[in-house]
Amino acid sequence: MKRVKSTPRPGWQAYAESLGFKFHTIDGEPYWDESAYYQFSLRQIEQDLEDVTEELHAMALDLVPDILADEQKLDQLAIPEDYRDALAASWQRGDPHLYGRMDLVYDGSGPAKLLELNYDTPTSLYETGFFQWVWLEDQLMRGELPAGADQFNSLQDKLEQAFANLALPQPFHFTSVRESIEDKGTVDYLLDIATQSGVDGRYIALEDIGSLDGQYYDLQGEPITGLFKLYPWEFLLEEAFAEQVKTSETLWLEPLWKLLLSNKGILPLLWQKHPGHPNLLESHFDTGKALDKGWLRKPLFSREGANIELVTADGQRLSEPGPYQDAPFIRQRLQPLPMFDGNYTLIGSWVVGDSAAGIGIREDNSLITKDSSRFLPHIILD
Amino acid sequence: MKRSKKAALVLMAPAATLLLAGCGEQQQEVHVFHNAEECAAFYHPPAECQAEFERAEALHTQVAPRYQNQFECEADFGAGQCETAPERHQSGSFFMPMMMGYMAGQMMNRGNLAGGQAQSTQQSAANNRSAVPTQPLYKSRDDRSTFRTASNQAVASQPGVARVRPSAVQPQRAQLVRRGGFGQQAAVRQQAARQQANRQRSYGS
């Protein structure tokens, strides 16, 4: 694994926009960054990332029945009591899941370590599955990359197969918060892939969803039979229309049971079941006492690095503010992100259905990867 | 190969710019009144005034905005300004605002009283097919002068002649569905994030 400097394709921004990538630059700061790429060997990809991703995914799914059978664990994960029956039902019915992303610390050697599972509303999907793929093909065509360079990225192929195989109710709706162009971009991409798989997909802004007699309705007044939501379950369950989750016939992607796995509390539970596993970091539910050196604290529910606090091995304290102070916290042994050319590097490893489906790389100037981090493409070359 | 065989987009590539139907649309003259008597007082044939009023009244029960309860309806339309709607839900009746006036889309035979009265109103309507259907009007709690359509389109602030864009005033069956019950947490967290001067641009992770 190495970082290789690269010349950005001239005029790529306009091309990106023509393909619907409207958030390649955010508040004047680059988000998509092709001034460098990461290079992996096939062995690194297959043994250290692909196999590990599928193993960790299986371990996580394996925990679901354990948690459902144990009120104490549900308490520890702060699952609202009012929705525990509905959550258990969504698991017992076998409500399907589409995708997830796990964040891994990996520097090219030694076991990758699991930082967390983003299993409810994972993002950076478009830039991973589509724009990174286009970058590779484009640079191969231009001769800027060695012939034979490949990429660990079957995300779009696997999503297309998943949409074709899930037998989703039709029409199937896709929703996101109206004001977020980034979320709309991600949802548009999924809607595009679903359409190519023959799904009758339709977009509705989250705020436009209607409710009547325990069902959800679209703007035409038709019941919403299936809904992909890029909006966290822990938010939905606190809102005015939450109650209808129990009564509606809506099939949700991701399903309600994903609330268990997108929860940082899964990390201490994984550690309890598999103590010392090479791909896990020691984790515990937080008791509130001061952090020791080499540990970090994060809320059960948070996004984009918000509300994370850490103390490095040499006692340096680092924290990121955010709007997620209201949930319990976990603590996790600090595995510092590796540094390449002065950047801290994090690997997002995707799962579609139950298969590993590719990676996306984020770089930040801090040990805490935030929404200000940049996305860099990668290649496989032996 | 570890990558997708293809990665195509069918929807996200830009579509040709669509001409909006509303652009350059001709406005049409309509007549707005509180009731049939006022219409007649404005020197229109009383029979036509009455016929158009009844037409609007018939539409009222179909298009008036629906509320889960009287309280929510009166919050928008004022105390005592709401009535029960024909439909029921789990815990009672829907409510809707009372009709406060009407908009006649047909051109009435002003100044031709003899002819107008001789003609049957049906014939008159047929001869004057309008792009604006005759429909009920409402008044909101905080603005008692403005006449609004069932979909809250302001059309006039006083009785008499008004000009409207036909596409903006097409009556639609009332929605019984409540909206806006999802998305509040996004707003709350957004505000908290702003206070701490950091951004929250996505609700993904």
Side-chain angles (χ1 to χ4, degrees):
Chain A
M1 176 182 181
K2 60 180 177 178
R3 191 181 194 273
V4 183
K5 288 206 165 49
S6 175
T7 308
R9 294 164 293 167
W12 67 264
Q13 289 92 345
Y15 180 54
E17 282 153 35
S18 80
L19 294 172
F21 192 6
K22 298 195 170 67
F23 51 99
H24 60 71
T25 304
I26 296 168
D27 297 341
E29 300 291 326
Y31 170 57
W32 171 265
D33 182 358
E34 57 179 68
S35 67
Y37 60 83
Y38 282 82
Q39 179 177 328
F40 296 83
S41 70
L42 186 59
R43 194 198 59 79
Q44 287 173 328
I45 290 290
E46 292 190 331
Q47 287 180 23
D48 294 350
L49 298 175
E50 187 176 27
D51 291 351
V52 165
T53 295
E54 293 192 355
E55 184 184 348
L56 289 170
H57 173 77
M59 284 158 57
L61 284 192
D62 198 36
L63 266 182
V64 174
D66 296 1
I67 301 168
L68 289 176
D70 185 342
E71 289 292 324
Q72 192 202 342
K73 289 192 171 73
L74 290 164
D75 291 343
Q76 286 175 315
L77 299 185
I79 304 302
E81 282 184 36
D82 216 16
Y83 292 94
R84 289 180 185 181
D85 288 348
L87 192 154
S90 85
W91 172 257
Q92 278 140 17
R93 274 196 307 268
D95 283 359
H97 57 292
L98 179 65
Y99 74 154
R101 193 193 77 232
M102 57 182 77
D103 288 340
L104 300 174
V105 188
Y106 179 65
D107 65 0
S109 62
K113 299 282 190 186
L114 175 67
L115 273 188
E116 59 190 47
L117 300 177
N118 298 290
Y119 262 35
D120 183 18
T121 57
T123 56
S124 75
L125 184 73
Y126 172 91
E127 42 280 41
T128 305
F130 184 73
F131 205 70
Q132 170 176 240
W133 186 94
V134 170
W135 169 86
L136 179 83
E137 295 285 335
D138 212 359
Q139 295 292 52
L140 283 172
M141 182 187 72
R142 290 161 190 255
E144 296 288 330
L145 289 174
D150 196 2
Q151 195 170 72
F152 180 31
N153 181 16
S154 54
L155 198 47
Q156 184 160 340
D157 270 0
K158 289 206 165 76
L159 286 168
E160 203 173 325
Q161 288 157 19
F163 277 120
N165 296 334
L166 282 180
L168 299 173
Q170 308 282 323
F172 196 85
H173 285 79
F174 292 76
T175 194
S176 63
V177 170
R178 184 180 277 116
E179 69 176 13
S180 171
I181 62 160
E182 182 178 348
D183 289 356
K184 180 67 162 54
T186 300
V187 167
D188 279 346
Y189 180 52
L190 278 165
L191 180 54
D192 200 303
I193 298 171
T195 303
Q196 295 182 54
S197 307
V199 171
D200 177 9
R202 303 177 190 184
Y203 180 78
I204 182 169
L206 185 71
E207 296 85 349
D208 283 339
I209 291 174
S211 158
L212 174 71
D213 280 354
Q215 298 291 336
Y216 298 107
Y217 288 84
D218 68 11
L219 279 173
Q220 282 67 50
E222 297 297 324
I224 294 177
T225 49
L227 184 65
F228 173 90
K229 46 132 205 93
L230 193 59
Y231 194 69
W233 269 116
E234 70 269 16
F235 283 10
L236 286 174
L237 294 186
E238 287 183 26
E239 301 191 341
F241 285 177
E243 194 64 22
Q244 291 86 303
V245 165
K246 300 174 193 164
T247 50
S248 81
E249 285 157 22
T250 306
L251 178 83
W252 296 84
L253 284 179
E254 296 296 299
L256 184 51
W257 59 262
K258 277 287 190 93
L259 185 58
L260 303 178
L261 301 187
S262 61
N263 189 307
K264 307 290 187 295
I266 200 74
L267 299 165
L269 295 181
L270 277 170
W271 183 258
Q272 286 167 20
K273 191 161 181 178
H274 307 276
H277 188 286
N279 301 113
L280 295 178
L281 293 166
E282 184 181 349
S283 303
H284 304 282
F285 289 100
D286 190 48
T287 52
K289 69 176 168 68
L291 282 179
D292 291 331
K293 285 178 185 175
W295 284 82
L296 69 78
R297 178 169 19 231
K298 49 189 172 184
L300 291 188
F301 301 109
S302 84
R303 355 205 69 77
E304 319 241 325
N307 299 101
I308 290 180
E309 180 191 357
L310 64 83
V311 181
T312 61
D314 54 11
Q316 193 194 344
R317 182 174 299 273
L318 212 62
S319 70
E320 191 58 36
Y324 298 99
Q325 307 99 322
D326 50 353
F329 290 74
I330 63 135
R331 58 177 63 204
Q332 183 181 51
R333 188 176 286 285
L334 178 68
Q335 173 85 6
L337 295 172
M339 214 181 211
F340 291 87
D341 296 345
N343 303 286
Y344 293 100
T345 303
L346 174 73
I347 295 179
S349 184
W350 289 86
V351 175
V352 174
D354 301 314
S355 307
I359 56 170
I361 293 169
R362 302 283 289 266
E363 276 187 356
D364 207 314
N365 56 10
S366 140
L367 273 175
I368 300 175
T369 306
K370 301 176 292 293
D371 64 355
S372 55
S373 64
R374 288 163 289 107
F375 187 103
L376 278 82
H378 79 276
I379 67 170
I380 306 172
L381 192 67
D382 279 322
Chain B
M1 197 164 76
K2 305 295 285 184
R3 68 181 189 274
S4 297
K5 283 168 204 67
K6 76 170 176 73
L9 297 177
V10 296
L11 302 176
M12 291 184 81
T17 311
L18 292 170
L19 281 175
L20 288 173
C23 288
E25 184 186 2
Q26 286 282 331
Q27 288 202 327
Q28 188 182 318
E29 206 166 272
V30 294
H31 298 266
V32 171
F33 300 109
H34 285 98
N35 50 49
E37 291 71 32
E38 186 176 66
C39 168
F42 273 64
Y43 193 27
H44 296 296
E48 278 189 46
C49 286
Q50 184 61 30
E52 295 301 310
F53 178 81
E54 284 167 13
R55 200 189 290 267
E57 216 176 17
L59 212 51
H60 165 59
T61 54
Q62 295 175 37
V63 302
R66 300 303 205 267
Y67 290 82
Q68 296 274 319
N69 55 53
Q70 187 168 2
F71 179 77
E72 285 178 20
C73 182
E74 292 188 344
D76 283 355
F77 292 94
Q81 305 298 315
C82 292
E83 60 193 11
T84 53
E87 306 87 0
R88 294 186 56 79
H89 55 80
Q90 274 174 335
S91 50
S93 280
F94 282 93
F95 277 75
M96 61 186 191
M98 293 170 181
M99 174 170 152
M100 286 291 134
Y102 70 112
M103 174 165 72
Q106 323 293 349
M107 294 298 287
M108 286 185 269
N109 294 323
R110 185 179 205 169
N112 186 15
L113 276 179
Q117 277 172 328
Q119 244 179 352
S120 82
T121 45
Q122 255 181 344
Q123 239 181 336
S124 149
N127 292 343
N128 296 296
R129 264 299 155 231
S130 165
V132 178
T134 292
Q135 59 192 278
L137 296 174
Y138 305 89
K139 290 187 176 181
S140 68
R141 187 185 67 166
D142 50 3
D143 178 5
R144 301 302 298 168
S145 57
T146 304
F147 289 98
R148 298 168 184 278
T149 66
S151 50
N152 200 22
Q153 181 74 40
V155 292
S157 54
Q158 58 189 29
V161 175
R163 302 183 70 82
V164 298
R165 281 190 305 114
S167 66
V169 295
Q170 295 301 314
Q172 283 172 352
R173 180 165 284 280
Q175 293 272 355
L176 300 179
V177 168
R178 285 189 304 152
R179 298 190 191 278
F182 277 143
Q184 302 102 323
Q185 284 292 317
V188 171
R189 309 282 165 158
Q190 187 71 32
Q191 201 181 6
R194 252 186 225 122
Q195 281 163 1
Q196 294 166 348
N198 67 4
R199 293 166 303 140
Q200 179 80 15
R201 57 163 218 262
S202 164
Y203 298 94
S205 48

